[in-house]
Amino acid sequence: MDKIEHKNVSVNGINMHIAELGEGPLVLFLHGFPELWYSWRHQILFLASHGYRAVAPDLRGYGDTTGAPVNDSSKFSPLHIVGDLIALTQAIAPDQEKVFVVGHDWGAFIAWHLCLFRPDKVRALVNLSVAFFPRNPSCSLVESLRSAYGDDYYVCRFQKPGEIEAEFAQIGVKNFIKKMLTYRTPGPLFFPQGKGFGDSPDTPVVLPSWLTDEDVDYFVSKFEKTAFTGAVNYYRALNNVTWELTAPWTGAQVKVPTKFVIGELDLTYHMPGVQEYIHKGGFKRDVPLLEEVVVVKDAAHFINQERPDEVSKHIHDFIKQY
């Protein structure tokens, strides 16, 4: 990891921290929740060793990226984040008209929108864990999830400013990070008020072989510094701002060469209708240049960390064609 270089770049009114390594075509890695550039540590090394310039930012509101108005969740819509990323690529690779994009979790959600808004900037896309969600013209994604799962579903619980942050504080940053990154239940994540994950905050978490104490400590050190408001603002913007601002793209297709990888035990893979959408034609209808869907056996949500070599190879095998 010592080989990975770090710097800050002024983009779109914020100061964005990036980790990078290598030379060649740019591969932009977008992390999810509750994560950082560090989630791509293995892929950065792999892609750099195969002739690419691997770049992973801390997204707006996360880690060492500063300047975002964390007290205003309306500034965390996909349009804001995509604006950051377009400015970033123009700043660090002005000679590259198009770049490769790899996203996971929220990073995948942002990557879908990057390809919707600016397909002219993307050579090819590899997304992990979160399939494309076509915009529902009748209601926001939060309201759709509330109808399906109720008020205790984690996305719904994240809506009220300050409330979930206080519960995270009760659980403790380290315990929360450990429980999230090791979550392997192939079903909806509920977070009932005052009950957290449904067990005692003192219940020990046994780390799997792919996640070390050192890894956990890195995430903890950053979230102890920033807290979680910037991160949960993405969920808060979903309810009204994102739904309203993305109205012009209702019914729009993602027209970028795409590969999609998901774990067999990923909670998103077991949401109502998702498997049918992915495998029965809906996904291909909305993403007509979708070339491959990979379901990784016995892998869960944080697949880029859990199966680093396998995921790195999937990425490289796809983008080397372009």
Side-chain angles (χ1 to χ4, degrees):
M1 299 300 163
D2 291 342
K3 295 188 296 184
I4 296 174
E5 300 174 356
H6 297 265
K7 65 181 178 183
N8 286 74
V9 185
S10 180
V11 298
N12 199 27
I14 65 174
N15 195 32
M16 178 167 274
H17 166 253
I18 64 171
E20 67 171 321
L21 186 66
E23 296 180 356
L26 179 62
V27 184
L28 185 64
F29 289 96
L30 308 179
H31 68 78
F33 173 90
E35 300 180 88
L36 302 162
W37 75 267
Y38 190 82
S39 300
W40 297 110
R41 57 199 179 277
H42 305 292
Q43 287 76 32
I44 290 173
L45 296 174
F46 185 95
L47 269 295
S49 71
H50 284 75
Y52 295 87
R53 182 185 180 190
V55 175
D58 285 336
L59 294 176
R60 172 181 289 237
Y62 280 89
D64 291 324
T65 290
T66 60
V70 294
N71 293 322
D72 183 358
S73 62
S74 71
K75 304 300 185 185
F76 288 78
S77 76
L79 277 85
H80 293 87
I81 316 304
V82 169
D84 298 341
L85 299 174
I86 293 296
L88 176 65
T89 59
Q90 291 173 340
I92 66 174
D95 58 327
Q96 296 190 36
E97 184 178 348
K98 295 186 176 187
V99 303
F100 294 109
V101 178
V102 181
H104 168 256
D105 186 76
W106 260 105
F109 186 83
I110 296 302
W112 292 124
H113 285 83
L114 171 57
C115 294
L116 268 181
F117 302 158
R118 295 300 303 271
D120 59 305
K121 292 295 185 182
V122 183
R123 289 175 69 171
L125 170 69
V126 179
N127 258 350
L128 315 178
S129 298
V130 174
F132 180 64
F133 285 94
R135 182 182 182 275
N136 183 342
S138 300
C139 67
S140 74
L141 181 57
V142 173
E143 290 311 310
S144 294
L145 292 170
R146 194 186 307 276
S147 296
Y149 295 122
D151 292 336
D152 285 341
Y153 187 62
Y154 79 103
V155 174
C156 304
R157 285 296 327 283
F158 285 7
Q159 294 304 308
K160 187 175 179 180
E163 184 175 275
I164 203 68
E165 291 93 328
E167 294 198 32
F168 291 168
Q170 282 188 320
I171 296 169
V173 173
K174 191 164 192 171
N175 270 343
F176 178 74
I177 293 294
K178 282 183 175 181
K179 289 175 186 290
M180 283 295 295
L181 295 183
T182 59
Y183 188 82
R184 292 182 63 81
T185 302
L189 173 58
F190 293 106
F191 213 89
Q193 188 169 6
K195 297 181 180 178
F197 290 90
D199 57 7
S200 169
D202 299 324
T203 302
V205 178
V206 178
L207 296 182
S209 60
W210 54 266
L211 186 67
T212 68
D213 285 318
E214 183 182 15
D215 296 332
V216 170
D217 288 344
Y218 185 86
F219 288 109
V220 170
S221 70
K222 300 303 178 182
F223 281 105
E224 283 184 339
K225 175 184 170 185
T226 65
F228 290 96
T229 298
V232 296
N233 276 343
Y234 288 66
Y235 295 93
R236 290 168 182 158
L238 267 182
N239 197 28
N240 291 311
V241 177
T242 294
W243 182 71
E244 292 172 1
L245 293 181
T246 56
W249 290 273
T250 301
Q253 295 174 311
V254 174
K255 295 182 178 179
V256 167
T258 300
K259 180 175 185 174
F260 182 68
V261 182
I262 193 167
E264 179 185 39
L265 301 178
D266 195 314
L267 72 168
T268 66
Y269 191 53
H270 295 269
M271 294 172 68
V274 166
Q275 292 183 36
E276 180 180 3
Y277 174 74
I278 289 174
H279 300 295
K280 298 294 179 65
F283 200 6
K284 180 70 173 176
R285 178 196 65 227
D286 295 330
V287 187
L289 300 182
L290 176 67
E291 297 186 16
E292 188 178 2
V293 172
V294 178
V295 180
V296 180
K297 187 173 177 59
D298 199 38
H301 184 67
F302 296 95
I303 189 171
N304 48 328
Q305 299 188 71
E306 181 182 349
R307 300 288 182 86
D309 295 339
E310 191 171 351
V311 167
S312 295
K313 189 173 186 303
H314 277 305
I315 295 167
H316 181 247
D317 287 349
F318 186 66
I319 68 173
K320 71 181 181 182
Q321 304 173 63
Y322 298 94

